[in-house]
Amino acid sequence: MSSIETTTQLQWHEVAQQVLSGNALTREQGLELLQSSDSELLDLLAATFLVRRTYFGRTVQLYYLKNAKSGLCPEDCGYCSQSIVSDAPIEKYTIANERVLMEGAAKAASSQARTYCIVASGRGPTDREVDHVCRVVEKIKADHGLHICACLGLLKPDQAQRLADAGVDRINHNLNTSRRYYEEICTTHTYQDRIDTLEVAQKAGMELCSGLIVGMGETHDDILDTVFELHALNVKSIPVNFLHSIDGTPLEKREDLDPRQCLRILCLLRLVHPATEIRIAGGREVNLRSMQAMGLYAANSIFVSDYLTTKGQSAEDDFSMIEDLGFEVIIGGHEMAS
Ligand code: SF4
């Protein structure tokens, strides 16, 4: 082994020790991490796993996602197959009725997911949609006791309060990218609109789930801005989406990522947010490909089954992957692993 490789190994191990002793990863270290070489990748992953293991052991949290309202969205988010500017041939429907949402909850429970994510397309919900979701959430809580995360777009304060009062535990609203790059991917609402909704949800007493999408043409600095902004917002859960470019969307045919860079990005998230749940979210299968299991050395959560408008690998394959790693799914209960 060359002396350079020895020095590098020591460096990532030292960075992990620094993080474990309570000294956060600096922005400069984050940039170095994103630019690190392929030959350092296993050392970086091993060091990152020390941090992951300290806070989450070998546990994996599963999330099950229901697209409760699909397409028909007036917004122009460039990555999204449901936007008004997308020609992608997706299923389009208005808000799902109680039966469909309850079936999704039963599927979440039988898939060993602790959290049921109810996701609706659109700029934000109508008051009637909020009332509908509130009624169904009360039933889901009574029947299945699942943790509920709602992703309904931009929220007004009174809507957020009604959702919190009905038992919604968490609101998902992703930053997606940096403030600087935001207008390159969406012009119909602003980055600040997204921050405002997160603040409204937090004031109503709900936890925040917010993450990013990488692979949209952003720079390393944009990724770092987003990752550190999420830290300032004190989010409890971070979904890391890897762009799955869909034909018919403005970002079709974009393939900026390779599996090794995806792993580096997951390591960055873990080292900046040591005790926060990090989820490998949309685009896991198509971007990490044969290396997706390795992502769980940094992240501690995945979606089981499908995404909003794209298929994921089967739940059986997810369970096999977790078992092959020697990791275990957290079943039942709502408390975070520590
Ligand atoms: S991400 Fe949400 S707001 Fe943006 S286009 Fe898709 S459904 Fe609409």
Side-chain angles (χ1 to χ4, degrees):
M1 183 184 286
S2 75
S3 60
I4 292 175
E5 283 169 331
T6 307
T7 308
T8 302
Q9 183 172 3
L10 195 61
Q11 182 200 334
W12 291 121
H13 186 78
E14 284 176 352
V15 168
Q17 293 304 331
Q18 167 199 320
V19 170
L20 286 171
S21 65
N23 296 305
L25 195 82
T26 65
R27 191 177 172 107
E28 292 67 34
Q29 287 174 319
L31 184 59
E32 201 180 324
L33 186 160
L34 289 174
Q35 294 173 332
S36 59
S37 67
D38 290 344
S39 61
E40 294 171 71
L41 185 56
L42 272 182
D43 299 332
L44 173 62
L45 262 181
T48 302
F49 182 58
L50 292 176
V51 178
R52 187 252 203 250
R53 199 180 58 190
T54 298
Y55 290 97
F56 297 96
R58 290 177 292 113
T59 62
V60 179
Q61 291 225 32
L62 300 182
Y63 280 64
Y64 182 84
L65 191 149
K66 181 78 194 168
N67 198 2
K69 177 181 172 189
S70 181
L72 313 167
C73 182
E75 304 297 289
D76 70 352
C77 307
Y79 53 85
C80 181
S81 58
Q82 307 189 69
S83 85
I84 193 155
V85 296
S86 161
D87 297 326
I90 58 160
E91 221 185 328
K92 297 179 182 166
Y93 48 86
T94 56
I95 192 96
N97 63 28
E98 179 180 311
R99 179 185 58 77
V100 170
L101 293 178
M102 291 303 291
E103 282 171 4
K107 184 81 199 306
S110 68
S111 304
Q112 303 183 19
R114 293 204 329 167
T115 304
Y116 182 40
C117 307
I118 301 174
V119 185
S121 60
R123 180 180 173 86
T126 64
D127 286 339
R128 282 184 64 172
E129 287 169 340
V130 168
D131 289 340
H132 174 60
V133 170
C134 287
R135 272 193 305 276
V136 180
V137 164
E138 284 169 1
K139 280 203 82 171
I140 293 169
K141 287 278 181 182
D143 289 7
H144 299 287
L146 288 162
H147 199 244
I148 302 290
C149 180
C151 176
L152 307 176
L154 302 173
L155 293 176
K156 299 180 199 139
D158 64 303
Q159 293 178 324
Q161 196 58 59
R162 285 187 346 251
L163 291 164
D165 293 346
V168 172
D169 300 281
R170 216 178 247 183
I171 289 295
N172 165 262
H173 202 55
N174 293 331
L175 291 183
N176 290 328
T177 192
S178 69
R179 188 182 288 274
R180 184 196 72 81
Y181 196 58
Y182 200 83
E183 63 186 30
E184 299 294 322
I185 60 155
C186 177
T187 64
T188 48
H189 61 261
T190 64
Y191 182 87
Q192 188 59 43
D193 289 332
R194 291 196 163 245
I195 298 263
D196 291 349
T197 281
L198 289 169
E199 289 177 351
V200 156
Q202 201 161 41
K203 276 200 188 116
M206 292 179 284
E207 293 177 355
L208 301 186
C209 170
S210 184
L212 63 165
I213 308 173
V214 290
M216 299 193 295
E218 71 284 338
T219 62
H220 289 338
D221 274 330
D222 291 316
I223 294 174
L224 291 166
D225 280 357
T226 318
V227 169
F228 282 97
E229 178 93 76
L230 291 168
H231 199 267
L233 288 165
N234 191 27
V235 300
K236 293 283 181 260
S237 180
I238 302 178
V240 183
N241 296 280
F242 301 103
L243 181 71
H244 180 173
S245 70
I246 297 173
D247 286 350
T249 65
L251 293 180
E252 69 179 355
K253 309 274 185 269
R254 233 198 141 108
E255 289 178 9
D256 296 3
L257 298 168
D258 62 51
R260 286 140 5 251
Q261 191 62 9
C262 295
L263 291 175
R264 279 183 207 102
I265 290 165
L266 291 170
C267 290
L268 172 72
L269 266 296
R270 173 57 63 214
L271 294 175
V272 176
H273 299 263
T276 303
E277 181 179 87
I278 307 290
R279 182 160 48 266
I280 316 176
R284 162 165 57 103
E285 292 87 344
V286 294
N287 285 284
L288 280 156
R289 303 193 281 276
S290 61
M291 295 173 85
Q292 53 171 312
M294 296 178 82
L296 283 172
Y297 287 111
N300 65 304
S301 171
I302 56 172
F303 283 111
V304 67
S305 296
D306 299 335
Y307 303 101
L308 290 176
T309 63
T310 56
K311 291 275 177 207
Q313 73 177 13
S314 72
E316 291 70 30
D317 287 344
D318 286 336
F319 291 133
S320 296
M321 177 176 78
I322 291 165
E323 197 182 326
D324 289 349
L325 282 162
F327 289 7
E328 57 185 349
V329 173
I330 297 181
I331 304 170
H334 298 154
E335 54 304 322
M336 296 291 293
S338 58

